[in-house]
Each structure stands twice: as C-alpha cells, then as structure tokens.
Amino acid sequence: WEQSVALGFTLNKGNTDNLLFTFDYRAAYKVAQREVGLGLSASYGEAKGRKNVDQLRAFGQFNWLFQEKSYGYARVEGFHDEIADVDYRFSISLGAGHYFIKTPTTKLSAELGPGYTIERLGGKERDFATLRVGQRFEHKFDDKTRVWQSLELLPEVHDFSKYITNFEIGLETSLTKQLSLRLTLRDSYNTDPAPKRKENDLRFVTAIVVKF
C-alpha cells in the first residue's frame, strides 16, 4: 500500500476574516493484475463568521487487468456538500478502461461504463442511470516532482443535457523523504443544481502531504 495524508489550512484575521481547512487521504495498492484506489477528502470554511464550505467526498475503485493495458473496473463514490444543498449523492459504476500510455514515468488512461446514482438534492430524493466517462494523466519528472490531471463526465442516460463534470489538475513536489507540497485546482460543474445554487464550484488548495 502507498498512503498519504494532505492537510491544508488558511486563516485570515483583520480586514479579511476567513478560515479554510482541508483534509485529503489517498491509498493505492497495485500487485499483479489488481489495482485498488481509495480516497477520502473533507473541507470546512468560514467567512466573516458564517460557514461557506462544508464538503465531504469518498471513493473506492477496483481495477482488474485482463491485459497489460486493458482492465475492467468497479467504482463507488459518496458525496456531501451542505453549501450546494447536496445532502448525499451515492454513485456506482462498472466498466472498462485502457492505458494508452503506461510507463514508469507517464500514465494516460480512459474509462467508460454505465452507472447509477441516488441523491438528495435541494431536499428532494431521486435516482437515475448515468454513463460514466473518465480520463486520467500523470507524469513524474523525477523522484521528487509529479503532475496529474483527471476528468470525469457523468451524463444522465434519459437526458444527456443534465450532467456532472469533475476536473482536477495538480502539482506535487517533495520537501523531504516523507513530506511534500501539493497544489491542486478542482472544478465541479452540475447543470442541474439545487434551487438558488450555482452550477459551478472552483477551488484551489495548497497543502502539506505526509506519506507513509
């Protein structure tokens, strides 16, 4: 297992009064034909004494490689965002993926498969079938610095004009053998948000990473 915990904290007092705390846990396991990825992230923030960030996300994915670069996958994900009025959103998907590039320093993969989502949004419960399209790129410049980018598209099967996209791009560089500095830009877009909520959420996070 390769595991890491990233902690970010911002506090401003005076002319600007705000607080932001972020936590991110990642674990990866790779052996023979199996790949496992786990993640848990949480964010909490206040501005002028009022809560403006309260988000929780968790996921797990299992890949089974039936060829050197091709695999089948199963993925589950849970999401909560009080500010966006998402009480919960649970998604499960099954599908196939392929590594277009798979070297010790560079990886580029894409995934496609059906899924199903259950959510409580704006106080209303609903469930629907989705089509999941995923893509991920990662490159290691050396033993200390790496960059990555991922994109996930989740359109509703019965109405492709309704969809959710999740985009992430990041840079991580080692400070010591166990400590790193991580910069991450995340963007989530929902064409059908809760009433009186915006479609887009963009966040830039700076964090210290502990590897173990």
Side-chain angles (χ1 to χ4, degrees), residues 173-186:
T173 184
S174 298
L175 303 175
T176 67
K177 187 175 181 179
Q178 291 183 305
L179 294 178
S180 299
L181 175 65
R182 179 184 293 173
L183 308 176
T184 309
L185 178 67
R186 295 173 179 168

Side-chain angles (χ1 to χ4, degrees), residues 36-150:
V36 181
L38 302 173
L40 173 66
S41 61
S43 302
Y44 179 86
E46 295 180 356
K48 297 181 179 181
R50 297 182 62 181
K51 185 191 302 184
N52 65 349
V53 178
D54 188 351
Q55 189 178 99
L56 180 66
R57 184 189 300 271
F59 77 89
Q61 181 164 332
F62 175 79
N63 297 341
W64 177 266
L65 281 81
F66 51 83
Q67 292 182 353
E68 182 181 357
K69 293 184 178 181
S70 299
Y71 58 91
Y73 76 87
R75 181 182 178 89
V76 294
E77 185 170 346
F79 178 70
H80 163 78
D81 190 332
E82 181 176 329
I83 307 306
D85 206 7
V86 182
D87 291 330
Y88 59 81
R89 178 182 292 132
F90 297 106
S91 302
I92 182 170
S93 62
L94 304 171
H98 182 77
Y99 285 100
F100 296 95
I101 303 174
K102 189 178 183 182
T103 70
T105 58
T106 306
K107 292 181 174 63
L108 173 63
S109 62
E111 299 172 346
L112 177 66
Y116 200 77
T117 295
I118 302 172
E119 68 176 12
R120 182 179 176 86
L121 178 70
K124 297 181 179 180
E125 296 182 355
R126 68 186 192 121
D127 57 278
F128 49 90
T130 64
L131 177 67
R132 180 178 179 272
V133 182
Q135 173 267 325
R136 181 174 175 83
F137 170 79
E138 181 176 349
H139 177 70
K140 296 180 180 179
F141 293 99
D142 49 39
D143 293 336
K144 294 184 177 181
T145 305
R146 71 183 182 101
V147 295
W148 71 92
Q149 170 270 325
S150 65

Side-chain angles (χ1 to χ4, degrees), residues 1-3 25 27-30 36-38 212:
W1 285 94
E2 296 181 0
Q3 302 178 77
Y25 168 78
Y29 176 78
K30 298 179 181 180
V36 181
L38 302 173
F212 55 95

Side-chain angles (χ1 to χ4, degrees), residues 145-165:
T145 305
R146 71 183 182 101
V147 295
W148 71 92
Q149 170 270 325
S150 65
L151 175 65
E152 183 181 51
L153 175 63
L154 298 166
E156 297 185 20
V157 170
H158 71 278
D159 186 354
F160 272 34
S161 67
K162 296 181 180 181
Y163 59 87
I164 296 172
T165 61

